[in-house]
């Protein structure tokens, strides 16, 4: 994975890394954020990520509005 100076993930040698990014349980537990600009999707870090840390993502406000995504994750109930 290549990361730019502003923490944007630029490229990946093996594209399968994206399948290891899980949705966060809440916006405060995310360490990666998904954004969209000019129909390209970007993932960028919003917190320090150390080797071995699990990646959790949620969506930028613009992404939520553009794609009509609920602002909070769905809560599973029994």
């Amino acid at each position: 994975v290549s990361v730019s100076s502003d923490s944007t993930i630029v490229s990946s040698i093996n594209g399968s890394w994206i399948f290891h990014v899980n949705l966060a349980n809440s916006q405060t537990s995310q360490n990666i954020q998904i954004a969209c600009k000019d129909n390209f999707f970007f993932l960028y870090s919003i917190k320090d990520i150390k080797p071995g840390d699990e990646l959790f993502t949620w969506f930028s406000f613009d992404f939520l509005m553009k794609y009509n995504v609920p602002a909070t994750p769905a809560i599973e109930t029994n």
Side-chain angles (χ1 to χ4, degrees):
V1 174
S2 174
V3 181
S4 69
S5 61
D6 66 350
S7 300
T8 302
I9 296 174
V10 177
S11 64
S12 173
I13 295 171
N14 178 349
S16 66
W17 68 269
I18 192 70
F19 296 108
H20 299 283
V21 179
N22 298 306
L23 284 178
N25 291 329
S26 68
Q27 197 170 10
T28 58
S29 65
Q30 72 182 19
N31 52 15
I32 301 285
Q33 190 168 71
I34 300 173
C36 180
K37 183 176 182 182
D38 300 326
N39 294 324
F40 288 95
F41 295 96
F42 297 90
L43 281 80
Y44 59 95
S45 64
I46 60 169
K47 296 179 181 175
D48 288 337
I49 300 172
K50 297 176 182 79
D53 283 354
E54 192 166 355
L55 301 177
F56 292 104
T57 190
W58 199 245
F59 308 95
S60 68
F61 180 76
D62 293 341
F63 188 100
L64 293 172
M65 296 299 104
K66 183 173 183 171
Y67 294 101
N68 199 28
V69 176
T72 56
I75 298 172
E76 292 184 25
T77 58
N78 292 335

